[in-house]
Amino acid sequence: MVSDFFLLFLQASLTSMLTGALVWGLLHAAARFWPAVAMGRRVWLLAQLAIAVSFAAVLMPGSAAFSLLPAIELRDAPPASMAAERGQLVDANEADAHTDHDAAGAAAKGSAPDAVHAGTPDDADGGFTSGLLLAGQVWLAVYLCGLFATAARWLRVRRLLSALLAASYALDARTLRLHPGFAREDGAALLEKGLRIRETSAPISPMLLGCLQPMLLLPEHLRGMDPGQQELIVAHELTHWRSRDQLCLHLSLALQTLFWFNPVFSRLREKLALAQELACDRRVLAGRPPVQHKNYAAALLGQLKVQQQSMQTSQYASLAFGGDGLAALGMRIRLIRQPLAARLNWAGRVSLTASLCALLGASILLQPAFAWRGEEQSRTGAAISAAAAIVAEPSGHVAGASGKAPWLKPVRDGRVSSFFGVPRKRAADGANMPAAASIHHGVDFAARTGSEVRAVADGVVAESTDLYAGGEKYGKVVVIEHADGLRSLYAHLDSRSVRPGEHVKAGQLIARSGASGRVSGPHLHLEALKNGEHIDPQTLIANLEQSAFKSALRRRDAANLRPGGSPVSSS
C-alpha cells in the first residue's frame, strides 16, 4: 500500500540518522586509539555505504521478518461506506432512545450502543495512525524539496566549474615537457592515457575534475614557485588520478545529495577527502629527504596565501581552501612534518570491520515493523450486520456455500505445492513445532510475488491485517466470511486490497501474493474453515489435483491421505 511506503520512508530516514550518529561516534573513538584511521580512505567510504544500506534495508520487501522487536500495530481507517453506516446506526439509536418498543426492540436497543461504544478505542487508534501517516507524507514532501535544493546547489557549483574550464586552456605534450612540475613525468604518456591537462589564470589550487574522464586543472601561479615544489604538487595530483580517488569522491557526493538531511554524510565526505589528501601526501613524500618535506609544506602555505590575497577579487577563491579546508590544510602540514603510521594495524582493521557490521546488523534486527490491522468485525456494527445478512441468505445464493457451487481457485495460474493434512516436521524458520501444528491446515499455491489473489466465493471481509491472531506467522492476511458458516483465509500476502466489512464477489481481486510472515519463499496459503473447524479446501475447489505438482501429490500419497485430508482406511 502507498501508506506503507510513507511510514517506511519515515522510519528509514530516522534509522539512517541514528545509524549515522552511532557510526560517527564509533569512528571518532577509533581515531583516538588508532590515529592512522584518518588516512583510511576505505573506512570513511564504507561508513557511508553502511548508513545507506541501513536506510535501504528498511525499504526492502520482507525486511520486517528479520526484526527481533514486536511489531507496532496500526489500524486501518474504516471505509467511507462503513463510516456512513456507523453514523446511521448512531442516529437510529438516538431515535430509539425517545421511542417505546416491545421486548425485542428493547433488546436490540440495548445491544446497539455496545456496538457503537466498542468502536471508540479503534477511533483513537485510527487517529494515531492518521497522524503517523500525515507525518510520513509531510516528511516525504520535505525530503523531495530538500533533494531539489541540494541538487540545485551542486548544479550551481558545476556551472561555476564549467565557467572556470571555459576560461582555461589545454596543455599539449610539448608544453608539458617545458613545465617544471612535469620534470619527472612523461606528459605525452599521460595524455595518451586519457588525462586532460589544462591551465587557468584563476587563483585556485590544483584540482582533479571529472569522474569517468578526469581533467587536471593547474593554476598559472604554480609556475612562480620553486621547481621542486611544483614537481611535488603535480605528483600529488597525479597520485589522486592513479588511485582513482575521483570515483570515490563522486560516490560520496551522490550519497550526500541523497541523504542531505543526515549531517553525518557531509562530515564523512570531508573525512574521506582529507584521508585521500593525507594518503597522497604520504605516497608522494615516501623516500624523499626531509628538506623536500619542508618545501612541500611551504608550497601548500604558498597556495593558501595566493588565494587569500585574491579573496575579494575572484569568484573562484573558495573552491579549494575555505571553511573546514583550512583545518584540513593545517592537519596536512602537521602530518607532513610528523608522519603517522602508514596503515592501520590488523587489530584496528578487524575491530572496525566487526563494529561496522555489528551496527549494520543491529539496525536491521532491532528495526520495529509496522503491522496494519483492519478493524475487527466484532468491533464494527456495520460489518456484523453485513455478515449476518450474508449468512442468513439461502446457500444457493452464495458461491461456495454448497457443493453445487464450488469455490474458485484463488490464484488462476497457481499450481498446488502442498495439500491439506500433509505432515510437516519443521516450521519455515527451522524451529520445532508442536504436534498440533505439524499438520498442514491449508493448501499452498505456488505464485510469484505480486500475483493476483481473488476471492473464492461471495462474502464479507472479516479481517485484513498484518497481525492475524496477534502473531506474525501468517504475515499479511485477509479473511472472508461466507454463507453456511464457511470462512476462507489467505496468508503470506504481499499487499491487501480490501478492508473489514467490505462485500466481495467471487473472483474479485482482494490481495496480491507474496512472502510475508514465516515462509521460505513466495506462495499463497489458503485455509478453509467450517464453523471454526479446519476443513480441506479441496472439498470446495474442483480439479486441484490436475494443477498440482507431482511432488505435492507424492507427499500426499506418502501420508496415505485421500482428498479431504483424512487417512485412507485399510481393508
Side-chain angles (χ1 to χ4, degrees), residues 538-554:
Q538 192 176 359
T539 61
L540 299 170
I541 304 176
N543 302 323
L544 281 186
E545 292 184 350
Q546 298 178 5
S547 62
F549 288 105
K550 293 182 179 179
S551 58
L553 293 172
R554 285 197 299 268

mmCIF file with all atom_site columns, all heavy atoms in Angstrom, residues 538-554:
data_model
loop_
_atom_site.group_PDB
_atom_site.id
_atom_site.type_symbol
_atom_site.label_atom_id
_atom_site.label_alt_id
_atom_site.label_comp_id
_atom_site.label_asym_id
_atom_site.label_entity_id
_atom_site.label_seq_id
_atom_site.pdbx_PDB_ins_code
_atom_site.Cartn_x
_atom_site.Cartn_y
_atom_site.Cartn_z
_atom_site.occupancy
_atom_site.B_iso_or_equiv
_atom_site.pdbx_formal_charge
_atom_site.auth_seq_id
_atom_site.auth_comp_id
_atom_site.auth_asym_id
_atom_site.auth_atom_id
_atom_site.pdbx_PDB_model_num
ATOM 1   N N   . GLN A 1 538 ? -9.827  -28.636 -0.742  1.00 0.00 ? 538 GLN A N   1
ATOM 2   C CA  . GLN A 1 538 ? -10.027 -29.440 -1.945  1.00 0.00 ? 538 GLN A CA  1
ATOM 3   C C   . GLN A 1 538 ? -11.448 -29.944 -2.061  1.00 0.00 ? 538 GLN A C   1
ATOM 4   O O   . GLN A 1 538 ? -11.910 -30.261 -3.161  1.00 0.00 ? 538 GLN A O   1
ATOM 5   C CB  . GLN A 1 538 ? -9.039  -30.608 -1.952  1.00 0.00 ? 538 GLN A CB  1
ATOM 6   C CG  . GLN A 1 538 ? -8.967  -31.338 -3.288  1.00 0.00 ? 538 GLN A CG  1
ATOM 7   C CD  . GLN A 1 538 ? -7.924  -32.434 -3.303  1.00 0.00 ? 538 GLN A CD  1
ATOM 8   O OE1 . GLN A 1 538 ? -7.239  -32.645 -2.311  1.00 0.00 ? 538 GLN A OE1 1
ATOM 9   N NE2 . GLN A 1 538 ? -7.801  -33.132 -4.416  1.00 0.00 ? 538 GLN A NE2 1
ATOM 10  N N   . THR A 1 539 ? -12.173 -29.992 -0.935  1.00 0.00 ? 539 THR A N   1
ATOM 11  C CA  . THR A 1 539 ? -13.576 -30.412 -0.987  1.00 0.00 ? 539 THR A CA  1
ATOM 12  C C   . THR A 1 539 ? -14.466 -29.311 -1.545  1.00 0.00 ? 539 THR A C   1
ATOM 13  O O   . THR A 1 539 ? -15.633 -29.557 -1.861  1.00 0.00 ? 539 THR A O   1
ATOM 14  C CB  . THR A 1 539 ? -14.065 -30.787 0.421   1.00 0.00 ? 539 THR A CB  1
ATOM 15  O OG1 . THR A 1 539 ? -13.966 -29.635 1.274   1.00 0.00 ? 539 THR A OG1 1
ATOM 16  C CG2 . THR A 1 539 ? -13.225 -31.918 1.002   1.00 0.00 ? 539 THR A CG2 1
ATOM 17  N N   . LEU A 1 540 ? -13.933 -28.106 -1.656  1.00 0.00 ? 540 LEU A N   1
ATOM 18  C CA  . LEU A 1 540 ? -14.705 -26.969 -2.161  1.00 0.00 ? 540 LEU A CA  1
ATOM 19  C C   . LEU A 1 540 ? -14.208 -26.463 -3.512  1.00 0.00 ? 540 LEU A C   1
ATOM 20  O O   . LEU A 1 540 ? -14.938 -25.771 -4.219  1.00 0.00 ? 540 LEU A O   1
ATOM 21  C CB  . LEU A 1 540 ? -14.662 -25.820 -1.151  1.00 0.00 ? 540 LEU A CB  1
ATOM 22  C CG  . LEU A 1 540 ? -15.245 -26.120 0.236   1.00 0.00 ? 540 LEU A CG  1
ATOM 23  C CD1 . LEU A 1 540 ? -14.916 -24.993 1.197   1.00 0.00 ? 540 LEU A CD1 1
ATOM 24  C CD2 . LEU A 1 540 ? -16.743 -26.317 0.151   1.00 0.00 ? 540 LEU A CD2 1
ATOM 25  N N   . ILE A 1 541 ? -12.956 -26.767 -3.862  1.00 0.00 ? 541 ILE A N   1
ATOM 26  C CA  . ILE A 1 541 ? -12.364 -26.299 -5.116  1.00 0.00 ? 541 ILE A CA  1
ATOM 27  C C   . ILE A 1 541 ? -12.133 -27.509 -6.007  1.00 0.00 ? 541 ILE A C   1
ATOM 28  O O   . ILE A 1 541 ? -11.433 -28.460 -5.617  1.00 0.00 ? 541 ILE A O   1
ATOM 29  C CB  . ILE A 1 541 ? -11.039 -25.557 -4.873  1.00 0.00 ? 541 ILE A CB  1
ATOM 30  C CG1 . ILE A 1 541 ? -11.243 -24.403 -3.890  1.00 0.00 ? 541 ILE A CG1 1
ATOM 31  C CG2 . ILE A 1 541 ? -10.456 -25.034 -6.180  1.00 0.00 ? 541 ILE A CG2 1
ATOM 32  C CD1 . ILE A 1 541 ? -9.968  -23.681 -3.525  1.00 0.00 ? 541 ILE A CD1 1
ATOM 33  N N   . ALA A 1 542 ? -12.691 -27.479 -7.161  1.00 0.00 ? 542 ALA A N   1
ATOM 34  C CA  . ALA A 1 542 ? -12.626 -28.634 -8.060  1.00 0.00 ? 542 ALA A CA  1
ATOM 35  C C   . ALA A 1 542 ? -11.296 -28.682 -8.805  1.00 0.00 ? 542 ALA A C   1
ATOM 36  O O   . ALA A 1 542 ? -10.659 -27.657 -9.056  1.00 0.00 ? 542 ALA A O   1
ATOM 37  C CB  . ALA A 1 542 ? -13.781 -28.570 -9.059  1.00 0.00 ? 542 ALA A CB  1
ATOM 38  N N   . ASN A 1 543 ? -10.894 -29.920 -9.164  1.00 0.00 ? 543 ASN A N   1
ATOM 39  C CA  . ASN A 1 543 ? -9.774  -30.183 -10.074 1.00 0.00 ? 543 ASN A CA  1
ATOM 40  C C   . ASN A 1 543 ? -8.433  -29.659 -9.554  1.00 0.00 ? 543 ASN A C   1
ATOM 41  O O   . ASN A 1 543 ? -7.577  -29.245 -10.344 1.00 0.00 ? 543 ASN A O   1
ATOM 42  C CB  . ASN A 1 543 ? -10.057 -29.582 -11.459 1.00 0.00 ? 543 ASN A CB  1
ATOM 43  C CG  . ASN A 1 543 ? -11.329 -30.109 -12.073 1.00 0.00 ? 543 ASN A CG  1
ATOM 44  O OD1 . ASN A 1 543 ? -11.655 -31.295 -11.918 1.00 0.00 ? 543 ASN A OD1 1
ATOM 45  N ND2 . ASN A 1 543 ? -12.066 -29.242 -12.763 1.00 0.00 ? 543 ASN A ND2 1
ATOM 46  N N   . LEU A 1 544 ? -8.207  -29.655 -8.252  1.00 0.00 ? 544 LEU A N   1
ATOM 47  C CA  . LEU A 1 544 ? -6.912  -29.208 -7.735  1.00 0.00 ? 544 LEU A CA  1
ATOM 48  C C   . LEU A 1 544 ? -5.806  -30.197 -8.073  1.00 0.00 ? 544 LEU A C   1
ATOM 49  O O   . LEU A 1 544 ? -4.647  -29.802 -8.258  1.00 0.00 ? 544 LEU A O   1
ATOM 50  C CB  . LEU A 1 544 ? -6.988  -29.010 -6.213  1.00 0.00 ? 544 LEU A CB  1
ATOM 51  C CG  . LEU A 1 544 ? -7.646  -27.723 -5.724  1.00 0.00 ? 544 LEU A CG  1
ATOM 52  C CD1 . LEU A 1 544 ? -7.506  -27.594 -4.209  1.00 0.00 ? 544 LEU A CD1 1
ATOM 53  C CD2 . LEU A 1 544 ? -7.029  -26.500 -6.403  1.00 0.00 ? 544 LEU A CD2 1
ATOM 54  N N   . GLU A 1 545 ? -6.139  -31.474 -8.136  1.00 0.00 ? 545 GLU A N   1
ATOM 55  C CA  . GLU A 1 545 ? -5.109  -32.466 -8.426  1.00 0.00 ? 545 GLU A CA  1
ATOM 56  C C   . GLU A 1 545 ? -4.520  -32.274 -9.816  1.00 0.00 ? 545 GLU A C   1
ATOM 57  O O   . GLU A 1 545 ? -3.341  -32.536 -10.044 1.00 0.00 ? 545 GLU A O   1
ATOM 58  C CB  . GLU A 1 545 ? -5.685  -33.876 -8.295  1.00 0.00 ? 545 GLU A CB  1
ATOM 59  C CG  . GLU A 1 545 ? -6.046  -34.261 -6.872  1.00 0.00 ? 545 GLU A CG  1
ATOM 60  C CD  . GLU A 1 545 ? -6.521  -35.703 -6.784  1.00 0.00 ? 545 GLU A CD  1
ATOM 61  O OE1 . GLU A 1 545 ? -6.730  -36.298 -7.855  1.00 0.00 ? 545 GLU A OE1 1
ATOM 62  O OE2 . GLU A 1 545 ? -6.674  -36.216 -5.666  1.00 0.00 ? 545 GLU A OE2 1
ATOM 63  N N   . GLN A 1 546 ? -5.338  -31.811 -10.753 1.00 0.00 ? 546 GLN A N   1
ATOM 64  C CA  . GLN A 1 546 ? -4.858  -31.621 -12.112 1.00 0.00 ? 546 GLN A CA  1
ATOM 65  C C   . GLN A 1 546 ? -3.838  -30.497 -12.209 1.00 0.00 ? 546 GLN A C   1
ATOM 66  O O   . GLN A 1 546 ? -3.020  -30.477 -13.131 1.00 0.00 ? 546 GLN A O   1
ATOM 67  C CB  . GLN A 1 546 ? -6.037  -31.353 -13.050 1.00 0.00 ? 546 GLN A CB  1
ATOM 68  C CG  . GLN A 1 546 ? -7.037  -32.495 -13.128 1.00 0.00 ? 546 GLN A CG  1
ATOM 69  C CD  . GLN A 1 546 ? -8.212  -32.158 -14.036 1.00 0.00 ? 546 GLN A CD  1
ATOM 70  O OE1 . GLN A 1 546 ? -8.237  -31.105 -14.670 1.00 0.00 ? 546 GLN A OE1 1
ATOM 71  N NE2 . GLN A 1 546 ? -9.179  -33.073 -14.107 1.00 0.00 ? 546 GLN A NE2 1
ATOM 72  N N   . SER A 1 547 ? -3.898  -29.547 -11.271 1.00 0.00 ? 547 SER A N   1
ATOM 73  C CA  . SER A 1 547 ? -2.969  -28.406 -11.308 1.00 0.00 ? 547 SER A CA  1
ATOM 74  C C   . SER A 1 547 ? -1.928  -28.493 -10.195 1.00 0.00 ? 547 SER A C   1
ATOM 75  O O   . SER A 1 547 ? -1.352  -27.487 -9.808  1.00 0.00 ? 547 SER A O   1
ATOM 76  C CB  . SER A 1 547 ? -3.741  -27.091 -11.180 1.00 0.00 ? 547 SER A CB  1
ATOM 77  O OG  . SER A 1 547 ? -4.423  -27.037 -9.936  1.00 0.00 ? 547 SER A OG  1
ATOM 78  N N   . ALA A 1 548 ? -1.694  -29.708 -9.673  1.00 0.00 ? 548 ALA A N   1
ATOM 79  C CA  . ALA A 1 548 ? -0.745  -29.878 -8.571  1.00 0.00 ? 548 ALA A CA  1
ATOM 80  C C   . ALA A 1 548 ? 0.599   -30.360 -9.096  1.00 0.00 ? 548 ALA A C   1
ATOM 81  O O   . ALA A 1 548 ? 0.687   -31.065 -10.118 1.00 0.00 ? 548 ALA A O   1
ATOM 82  C CB  . ALA A 1 548 ? -1.299  -30.865 -7.547  1.00 0.00 ? 548 ALA A CB  1
ATOM 83  N N   . PHE A 1 549 ? 1.655   -29.986 -8.396  1.00 0.00 ? 549 PHE A N   1
ATOM 84  C CA  . PHE A 1 549 ? 2.977   -30.508 -8.706  1.00 0.00 ? 549 PHE A CA  1
ATOM 85  C C   . PHE A 1 549 ? 3.036   -31.992 -8.329  1.00 0.00 ? 549 PHE A C   1
ATOM 86  O O   . PHE A 1 549 ? 2.374   -32.441 -7.388  1.00 0.00 ? 549 PHE A O   1
ATOM 87  C CB  . PHE A 1 549 ? 4.054   -29.742 -7.932  1.00 0.00 ? 549 PHE A CB  1
ATOM 88  C CG  . PHE A 1 549 ? 4.288   -28.349 -8.439  1.00 0.00 ? 549 PHE A CG  1
ATOM 89  C CD1 . PHE A 1 549 ? 3.804   -27.251 -7.735  1.00 0.00 ? 549 PHE A CD1 1
ATOM 90  C CD2 . PHE A 1 549 ? 5.011   -28.124 -9.606  1.00 0.00 ? 549 PHE A CD2 1
ATOM 91  C CE1 . PHE A 1 549 ? 4.029   -25.968 -8.190  1.00 0.00 ? 549 PHE A CE1 1
ATOM 92  C CE2 . PHE A 1 549 ? 5.239   -26.838 -10.073 1.00 0.00 ? 549 PHE A CE2 1
ATOM 93  C CZ  . PHE A 1 549 ? 4.743   -25.755 -9.365  1.00 0.00 ? 549 PHE A CZ  1
ATOM 94  N N   . LYS A 1 550 ? 3.838   -32.725 -9.062  1.00 0.00 ? 550 LYS A N   1
ATOM 95  C CA  . LYS A 1 550 ? 3.974   -34.146 -8.760  1.00 0.00 ? 550 LYS A CA  1
ATOM 96  C C   . LYS A 1 550 ? 4.542   -34.348 -7.365  1.00 0.00 ? 550 LYS A C   1
ATOM 97  O O   . LYS A 1 550 ? 4.175   -35.314 -6.680  1.00 0.00 ? 550 LYS A O   1
ATOM 98  C CB  . LYS A 1 550 ? 4.868   -34.811 -9.801  1.00 0.00 ? 550 LYS A CB  1
ATOM 99  C CG  . LYS A 1 550 ? 4.266   -34.869 -11.205 1.00 0.00 ? 550 LYS A CG  1
ATOM 100 C CD  . LYS A 1 550 ? 5.188   -35.590 -12.172 1.00 0.00 ? 550 LYS A CD  1
ATOM 101 C CE  . LYS A 1 550 ? 4.564   -35.671 -13.570 1.00 0.00 ? 550 LYS A CE  1
ATOM 102 N NZ  . LYS A 1 550 ? 5.459   -36.360 -14.527 1.00 0.00 ? 550 LYS A NZ  1
ATOM 103 N N   . SER A 1 551 ? 5.417   -33.458 -6.951  1.00 0.00 ? 551 SER A N   1
ATOM 104 C CA  . SER A 1 551 ? 5.997   -33.591 -5.614  1.00 0.00 ? 551 SER A CA  1
ATOM 105 C C   . SER A 1 551 ? 4.926   -33.440 -4.542  1.00 0.00 ? 551 SER A C   1
ATOM 106 O O   . SER A 1 551 ? 4.958   -34.133 -3.517  1.00 0.00 ? 551 SER A O   1
ATOM 107 C CB  . SER A 1 551 ? 7.097   -32.544 -5.408  1.00 0.00 ? 551 SER A CB  1
ATOM 108 O OG  . SER A 1 551 ? 6.581   -31.231 -5.592  1.00 0.00 ? 551 SER A OG  1
ATOM 109 N N   . ALA A 1 552 ? 3.954   -32.545 -4.775  1.00 0.00 ? 552 ALA A N   1
ATOM 110 C CA  . ALA A 1 552 ? 2.865   -32.375 -3.808  1.00 0.00 ? 552 ALA A CA  1
ATOM 111 C C   . ALA A 1 552 ? 1.993   -33.614 -3.750  1.00 0.00 ? 552 ALA A C   1
ATOM 112 O O   . ALA A 1 552 ? 1.551   -34.042 -2.675  1.00 0.00 ? 552 ALA A O   1
ATOM 113 C CB  . ALA A 1 552 ? 2.028   -31.152 -4.169  1.00 0.00 ? 552 ALA A CB  1
ATOM 114 N N   . LEU A 1 553 ? 1.741   -34.217 -4.908  1.00 0.00 ? 553 LEU A N   1
ATOM 115 C CA  . LEU A 1 553 ? 0.941   -35.444 -4.926  1.00 0.00 ? 553 LEU A CA  1
ATOM 116 C C   . LEU A 1 553 ? 1.674   -36.591 -4.247  1.00 0.00 ? 553 LEU A C   1
ATOM 117 O O   . LEU A 1 553 ? 1.065   -37.404 -3.541  1.00 0.00 ? 553 LEU A O   1
ATOM 118 C CB  . LEU A 1 553 ? 0.607   -35.805 -6.378  1.00 0.00 ? 553 LEU A CB  1
ATOM 119 C CG  . LEU A 1 553 ? -0.328  -34.835 -7.123  1.00 0.00 ? 553 LEU A CG  1
ATOM 120 C CD1 . LEU A 1 553 ? -0.403  -35.202 -8.597  1.00 0.00 ? 553 LEU A CD1 1
ATOM 121 C CD2 . LEU A 1 553 ? -1.714  -34.843 -6.494  1.00 0.00 ? 553 LEU A CD2 1
ATOM 122 N N   . ARG A 1 554 ? 2.989   -36.666 -4.452  1.00 0.00 ? 554 ARG A N   1
ATOM 123 C CA  . ARG A 1 554 ? 3.759   -37.746 -3.821  1.00 0.00 ? 554 ARG A CA  1
ATOM 124 C C   . ARG A 1 554 ? 3.748   -37.603 -2.303  1.00 0.00 ? 554 ARG A C   1
ATOM 125 O O   . ARG A 1 554 ? 3.616   -38.596 -1.579  1.00 0.00 ? 554 ARG A O   1
ATOM 126 C CB  . ARG A 1 554 ? 5.194   -37.731 -4.353  1.00 0.00 ? 554 ARG A CB  1
ATOM 127 C CG  . ARG A 1 554 ? 5.349   -38.285 -5.760  1.00 0.00 ? 554 ARG A CG  1
ATOM 128 C CD  . ARG A 1 554 ? 6.804   -38.617 -6.060  1.00 0.00 ? 554 ARG A CD  1
ATOM 129 N NE  . ARG A 1 554 ? 7.649   -37.424 -5.982  1.00 0.00 ? 554 ARG A NE  1
ATOM 130 C CZ  . ARG A 1 554 ? 7.935   -36.636 -7.010  1.00 0.00 ? 554 ARG A CZ  1
ATOM 131 N NH1 . ARG A 1 554 ? 7.448   -36.935 -8.209  1.00 0.00 ? 554 ARG A NH1 1
ATOM 132 N NH2 . ARG A 1 554 ? 8.705   -35.587 -6.873  1.00 0.00 ? 554 ARG A NH2 1
#
